[in-house]
Amino acid sequence: MNLSGKKSGLAVALSVASVLVAVPLKSAKAQVHPFSAFSSGGSDLSHWLSDVTLIGQIEGGIMANPARPNPGYNFGDFLADHANQVQLNQAEFTLSKAIDASKNTYQVGFTLEGLYGSDARYYHLVGVSDQEWKARYQLIPAQAHMDVHLPWLTSGGLDMQAGILQAPMGVEGLDPASRAFYTLAYTSEYSVPFQHVGAMFNWHVTPILDVTFGIDTGNQTSFGASDNNSRPAGYFGFNLNNLLGGKLRIVELSRVGPENSWMSVGHYEADHAQRFWNDINATYQVNDKLSLTAEFNYLHDEGIRGARPDGQFRGADAESFVSFLSYKINKDFTFNYRGEIYRDNNNSMVATFTTNNSYMNAIAGRPYSTMTGPGGHGTTYGDLSLNVAYRPDLGNHIRIFQLRPEIRFDRALNTTSPFNGGRNDGMFTFGGDAVIGF
């Protein structure tokens, strides 16, 4: 299948969405009985459709930079990259039928999510939507997948998602309502993948142990000529749930596969140079008010090259540690802390993309424009972020309302000056975002 043919990327995305909607409608009795999973019947179809939901959410924000960088970018910040400018990050709608994890029966559901805004620039798929838009505000199919629960192997069964998937690795994701901060940590931007076309499986081995595995075309690529190389990539890992009386959860995910474009490194190198992603995080719920999260990430890429003094080459490495603290002050206010150390060993990871399509052009292997860290040796970055999130229960069909004023301190910890147009070794930004969902 080649998604870069005569159809536009948007047309392909709409086609995918229509197929994924059609499949569940033909499987209307999936929850009724395993032997009648594909039979028809009006009453069963109505029952299957009864818990389909449509939700929407809007987010906008700003991170002000008193240093007034020239050019006007907050270095190392994807979602609030334009300093001192308010922007619409996301306007999204999600149509879905969820799987009920408490029932180990045959079940079929789906998720369809469309997203418009400035965040979309970083979450495209090559060959699906990456060439449709040139402005800062762009449109993507953020999710379009069929969801299946299979009562196989163990009492917990096996879950599968297939289609356009949001990458599962890491603590911070695309949905602003599911993360503590408006901005993202370096780890969440440069050392975890964003989007996939493929299939993910979660096997509930025991109430404590889940095993995760999956296969896809690569990070933010699709099929055929719209893949930046000709080899797949995949995940493997585990979850440990309900440890220490339900207070502790540990998630480990590893990923391996080639991720570099043949247009950048050649066909053989693109197919054989592997990228190894590894992320483990643990969340401990101390009490009803306080929770702690720690994340360790290590990435190695055999295909990203940097010259050594002897003229030879080596792969790129990055390792990081991120700590989070969340304290619920009362039912409406929560204090959040994030501290991070991120080591970019040869300045191959951290960069700011200075045109609206540069990030996706870099993944595809096309020409792109960036501001990078200092050359010559690696950089160790520090990030300290603080906020107080205001999240009242407004009712009246308002699913979520959230205000998050944020201050952030970034610093290069080894005497380099990557910030504010290369003038400073540190950067102070402040601002935040507002989210409303219905």
Side-chain angles (χ1 to χ4, degrees):
M1 181 179 181
N2 184 347
L3 297 186
S4 62
K6 294 183 179 179
K7 288 186 178 181
S8 70
L10 181 58
V12 171
L14 294 174
S15 299
V16 171
S18 65
V19 170
L20 290 172
V21 170
V23 171
L25 293 179
K26 293 180 181 179
S27 306
K29 296 187 69 176
Q31 297 187 62
V32 178
H33 194 279
F35 299 106
S36 61
F38 299 99
S39 63
S40 60
S43 61
D44 295 318
L45 177 60
S46 299
H47 175 73
W48 187 85
L49 291 172
S50 63
D51 58 352
V52 172
T53 61
L54 175 65
I55 61 173
Q57 187 168 276
I58 300 172
E59 179 203 20
I62 181 175
M63 288 302 283
N65 186 334
R68 299 183 179 273
N70 184 22
Y73 290 91
N74 293 325
F75 181 78
D77 191 341
F78 280 2
L79 305 187
D81 51 359
H82 288 262
N84 307 311
Q85 294 185 33
V86 177
Q87 57 189 11
L88 172 67
N89 289 90
Q90 300 183 16
E92 64 87 21
F93 290 89
T94 303
L95 181 71
S96 66
K97 176 180 172 60
I99 297 297
D100 186 348
S102 67
K103 298 178 180 179
N104 192 22
T105 60
Y106 286 92
Q107 300 176 57
V108 178
F110 66 91
T111 301
L112 299 172
E113 179 184 359
L115 185 151
Y116 174 79
S118 59
D119 290 0
R121 296 168 296 160
Y122 297 99
Y123 287 85
H124 286 287
L125 293 162
V126 175
V128 175
S129 57
D130 63 310
Q131 292 295 291
E132 297 296 325
W133 312 88
K134 306 301 181 185
R136 189 190 308 182
Y137 295 159
Q138 303 184 7
L139 177 67
I140 59 169
Q143 298 185 78
H145 50 83
M146 183 173 67
D147 307 331
V148 178
H149 180 82
L150 303 169
W152 296 352
L153 304 175
T154 61
S155 60
L158 181 70
D159 293 328
M160 181 193 75
Q161 295 182 331
I164 296 176
L165 311 171
Q166 292 182 4
M169 182 178 285
V171 173
E172 298 176 310
L174 176 59
D175 181 3
S178 68
R179 62 178 193 259
F181 289 90
Y182 173 39
T183 65
L184 297 177
Y186 293 95
T187 302
S188 305
E189 295 177 325
Y190 302 105
S191 290
V192 299
F194 283 177
Q195 295 280 96
H196 300 302
V197 175
M200 289 291 300
F201 299 85
N202 192 21
W203 178 25
H204 306 288
V205 181
T206 71
I208 291 178
L209 176 63
D210 295 339
V211 173
T212 302
F213 54 96
I215 188 168
D216 55 71
T217 60
N219 179 39
Q220 299 183 257
T221 65
S222 49
F223 292 101
S226 296
D227 192 354
N228 57 9
N229 54 67
S230 61
R231 300 294 173 87
Y235 286 94
F236 53 93
F238 62 86
N239 293 10
L240 297 176
N241 310 300
N242 301 311
L243 302 175
L244 300 181
K247 291 180 176 292
L248 177 64
R249 182 171 187 255
I250 299 173
V251 180
E252 192 281 333
L253 268 180
S254 295
R255 174 177 171 80
V256 62
E259 298 287 359
N260 294 289
S261 171
W262 66 267
M263 288 188 282
S264 299
V265 300
H267 284 283
Y268 182 86
E269 187 82 355
D271 288 344
H272 292 86
Q274 305 295 313
R275 182 175 298 181
F276 302 91
W277 325 60
N278 303 277
D279 189 276
I280 185 168
N281 60 79
T283 298
Y284 180 63
Q285 188 70 42
V286 179
N287 52 45
D288 291 341
K289 292 181 176 291
L290 177 64
S291 67
L292 306 173
T293 299
E295 178 181 15
F296 176 75
N297 185 287
Y298 173 69
L299 181 149
H300 174 73
D301 193 298
E302 297 176 334
I304 298 177
R305 300 305 178 94
R308 295 197 309 231
D310 60 8
Q312 301 300 312
F313 293 90
R314 63 184 179 188
D317 295 275
E319 53 265 353
S320 60
F321 175 78
V322 196
S323 58
F324 298 84
L325 180 150
S326 179
Y327 182 78
K328 192 171 182 61
I329 301 169
N330 56 38
K331 67 182 183 64
D332 293 336
F333 290 92
T334 301
F335 168 78
N336 294 295
Y337 151 92
R338 179 181 65 207
E340 178 183 26
I341 299 294
Y342 186 93
R343 173 66 180 177
D344 185 357
N345 277 329
N346 56 3
N347 292 319
S348 297
M349 297 295 172
V350 179
T352 288
F353 295 86
T354 55
T355 63
N356 293 322
N357 294 77
S358 279
Y359 176 81
M360 288 307 302
N361 286 341
I363 289 178
R366 298 184 290 261
Y368 61 93
S369 174
T370 62
M371 297 166 52
T372 60
H377 57 83
T379 301
T380 302
Y381 295 89
D383 154 37
L384 172 64
S385 300
L386 305 170
N387 78 14
V388 175
Y390 174 57
R391 193 169 179 173
D393 182 5
L394 299 181
N396 297 322
H397 307 293
I398 303 299
R399 181 175 54 87
I400 178 176
F401 177 78
Q402 179 174 272
L403 297 175
R404 291 186 296 191
E406 177 181 342
I407 58 173
R408 174 168 174 157
F409 305 87
D410 293 83
R411 191 173 182 87
L413 302 177
N414 56 337
T415 68
T416 59
S417 301
F419 299 106
N420 301 328
R423 304 195 315 265
N424 303 117
D425 61 359
M427 179 176 69
F428 168 67
T429 53
F430 64 94
D433 67 339
V435 179
I436 184 169
F438 48 88

